[in-house]
Amino acid sequence: MADALKVGIAGLGTVGASLVRIIGARAKELSITCGRAIEITAVSARDRSRDRGVDLSGITWFDTPDAMAQEADIDVFVELIGGAEGAADTSVRAALRRGLHVVTANKALLARHGMEFAALAEDKGVLLNFEAAVAGGIPVIKALRESLTGNKVSRVYGIMNGTCNYILTRMEKEGLTFEDCLKEAQRLGYAEADPAFDIEGNDTAHKLAILTTLAFGTQIAADQIYLEGISNISIEDIGAAADLGYRIKLLGVAQRTESGIEQRVHPTMVPRDSVIAQVDGVTNAVAIESDILGELLMVGPGAGGDATASAVLGDIADIAKSRPGEQRVPVLGTPAKALAPYVRARMRSHEGGYFIRLTVADRTGVFASVASRMAENNISLESIVQRAASQTVAEARDSKTIILVTHATTEESVRNAVAAIKAESYLVGEPQVIRIERPKAF
Amino acid sequence: MADALKVGIAGLGTVGASLVRIIGARAKELSITCGRAIEITAVSARDRSRDRGVDLSGITWFDTPDAMAQEADIDVFVELIGGAEGAADTSVRAALRRGLHVVTANKALLARHGMEFAALAEDKGVLLNFEAAVAGGIPVIKALRESLTGNKVSRVYGIMNGTCNYILTRMEKEGLTFEDCLKEAQRLGYAEADPAFDIEGNDTAHKLAILTTLAFGTQIAADQIYLEGISNISIEDIGAAADLGYRIKLLGVAQRTESGIEQRVHPTMVPRDSVIAQVDGVTNAVAIESDILGELLMVGPGAGGDATASAVLGDIADIAKSRPGEQRVPVLGTPAKALAPYVRARMRSHEGGYFIRLTVADRTGVFASVASRMAENNISLESIVQRAASQTVAEARDSKTIILVTHATTEESVRNAVAAIKAESYLVGEPQVIRIERPKAF
């Protein structure tokens, strides 16, 4: 049997502690499966005295990740620190420069420095694995990077933030407001004390940027993503969506178009009878549409110490099973030097159409005016319904709700039509606009 | 750049022709991604003169797969012939003995000879890849063999036969009989002229046997599978299932128990609001429940020339990306020599419970008698409902239907209870018994 693979772990939070425990508990099975033992020989974390419930005896302690990356007797540097800058950045950089394999769960780091790190890893002939960085335990990186080789991907999209999906699911199932669900998510530890990063879509955007590069072979462009969070989704929207046969999910969507790549993160209506619409709570799901394979959907735990540790362990095992020396699985699916420049798609027609909810004064002619503003902007309507306004809207007395579902149309047309309606005197409150996304196959 | 990877393809049916076309069309992309070119240098098929719509110029033709395996100038032997014996068997054996990497889509071959071939490949230090053998384009082999390394799997189950799922979906959605749906499936090319292999569950059983070995590290035991097809599922069953909140799918289920491994293929009721219940038509789905990752579900095309070719191409690309010489990814997840003997689980309690449908004479006391027979066999009931019998059953005049849903109970108890009921004079026609399966997470 070959020499043991020596692993150093930087960061002993929930995921790190889980990983130490699992590698210890499954030592024998891992050595049989991988053809060599996997041994944790070094760790680094902030507080040496803290009890993490795992046995660290015999493991060399480093006070900083940088010191571990530079000095530890390890083959693989596992980064579980988090954050796009600081210790995560400097230690991963140092490890790659030293010619160590690197495993990371850090989407922010990859969204920021992924191309540089990929080039460095490929230059040094080492592996840089990051299955846990997107959709937790779901092996979507491996699917895009390996299984789909030779496929031309047309669209990749998914539910990639458990906090948002938990909130939307509870709002729908229990009729609770966004604020109440957020508080509950914080109480249960699903949402951070400062939840903005999750609920405004930034976390999903980091993950989407990585998937985009793997799917389309384009340079990472995390700052070229249209971003809209879930905080202004109301129970009325969820109810209206249900009436029309849809459910609302926060999706990250990346799509190949004739003029470039479109990346967007926003609340999205998906058909109620589609498989992705059934994905509830903190579960994640990623769909990939490609020309040879067709549509592939993967559903699983998007977060949690053990599920994330499972993905990290799979990455480490891949390194243990590979032969030392030059690696040939490109870090980002395509070799870093061969990644195409990212070209942002021009404004284009949104195939799925739009849902528009307006609260308007209950006056004669309003309905006709709304329909006219749509027609003037060449927006073709699939349906237009009028109903009594919700009791919960304070301004809603003597008002009514108009709900429109459009056929494929451009973002620009919708914005212009809504601006024209806002200029009229009959509008009460802010209009709500939600994109509709339709899975290709199921 | 390294030398081109030379590929020989045995079998030029739908999948083989699709593969030749794709490798030709994506030559440049593949050479960039894999770090070396992939070239088809040899092919073998029955009829040399047949037009397959692909360019075979410059490719060496072999009249038999055996000759190609023994003589062709190739690195990888791709077997797309089919069948557990004959040319598929002898040519794969010859290729492995010669030290060639092998890629196959042949579940019957692996279910029969998988362990022998795995040992041979590991002995020779070559790769034996077979992603396309189970659930077509869905990368479930890679997930089990690589991503889940270190996990202890408790259950793996799925919809793995598109023909059966197509028939059950149409029966439910359109109220057609099994026979009508089968004819339609044959007309559309989804079902063979002799459909027994699909509809009696044998095809699913072959795939399940492979998943079982990958999931539990036990020797392949394709002849140790409880098998029940879909041909006696009626519209009444589907309707009753719907009324109770379930849908009927043909599942292959493998489960770890205290006394061994349970493998079964049978029509199964799954909760209507579970994700797997939404998988319709020829689509496949595989769920894996494990202790670290949790529940993972993958949904995608289970058949079709292109989807299958995509999986075969992914397998070839993995070989192109790997370094020559000793391989370390065990063919069956665990090295062939370390696979544990298969121990069949003893009769045990079925957690999901059972659905039992009885047509009985419309007499006083029948309901009480049925309930008593259940109680005598220690079967606890979740529900028992009585309704007018379907109009379509000829014997059903003056009869009624009793539908029972049990809590967890043993197969033996159910069989005894049903036998006791059959001994009574009031039973009309055959009782129907369908197992209920509940996903762990979603």
Side-chain angles (χ1 to χ4, degrees), chain B residues 226 228 231-234 236-237 355-361 370 374 389-390 393-396 399-404 414-415 417-434:
Chain B
Y226 173 82
E228 200 182 301
S231 53
N232 77 338
I233 295 294
S234 67
E236 285 73 28
D237 295 323
F355 160 97
I356 302 169
R357 180 172 61 83
L358 307 167
T359 307
V360 296
V370 167
M374 293 291 147
S390 157
V393 180
E395 314 90 324
S399 69
K400 60 189 176 189
T401 298
I402 296 179
I403 288 163
L404 306 110
V414 170
R415 279 194 203 142
V418 168
I421 288 164
K422 282 172 98 164
E424 305 277 358
S425 61
Y426 52 74
L427 193 69
V428 181
E430 273 296 298
Q432 175 70 287
V433 177
I434 301 176

Side-chain angles (χ1 to χ4, degrees), chain A residues 26 142 146 150 291 297 299, chain B residues 26 142 146 150 291 297 299:
Chain A
R26 297 282 152 86
K142 197 176 260 290
E146 302 175 25
D291 63 343
L297 176 71
V299 186
Chain B
R26 297 282 151 87
K142 198 176 260 288
E146 302 174 25
D291 63 342
L297 176 71
V299 186

Side-chain angles (χ1 to χ4, degrees), chain A residues 22 26 33 137 142 145-146 149-151 275 278 291-293 295 297-299 301 306 310 321-322 328 330 333, chain B residues 22 26 33 137 142 145-146 149-151 275 291-293 295 297-299 301 306 310 321-322 328 330 333:
Chain A
I22 293 162
R26 297 282 152 86
T33 309
K142 197 176 260 290
R145 195 162 85 159
E146 302 175 25
T149 300
N151 274 267
V275 179
Q278 314 300 322
D291 63 343
I292 312 176
L293 174 55
E295 191 183 17
L297 176 71
M298 304 168 99
V299 186
D306 276 2
S310 173
K321 290 171 192 168
S322 72
R328 283 214 193 101
Chain B
I22 293 162
R26 297 282 151 87
T33 309
K142 198 176 260 288
R145 195 161 86 159
E146 302 174 25
T149 299
N151 274 267
V275 179
D291 63 342
I292 312 175
L293 175 54
E295 191 183 18
L297 176 71
M298 303 169 99
V299 186
D306 276 2
S310 173
K321 291 171 192 168
S322 73
R328 283 214 194 101

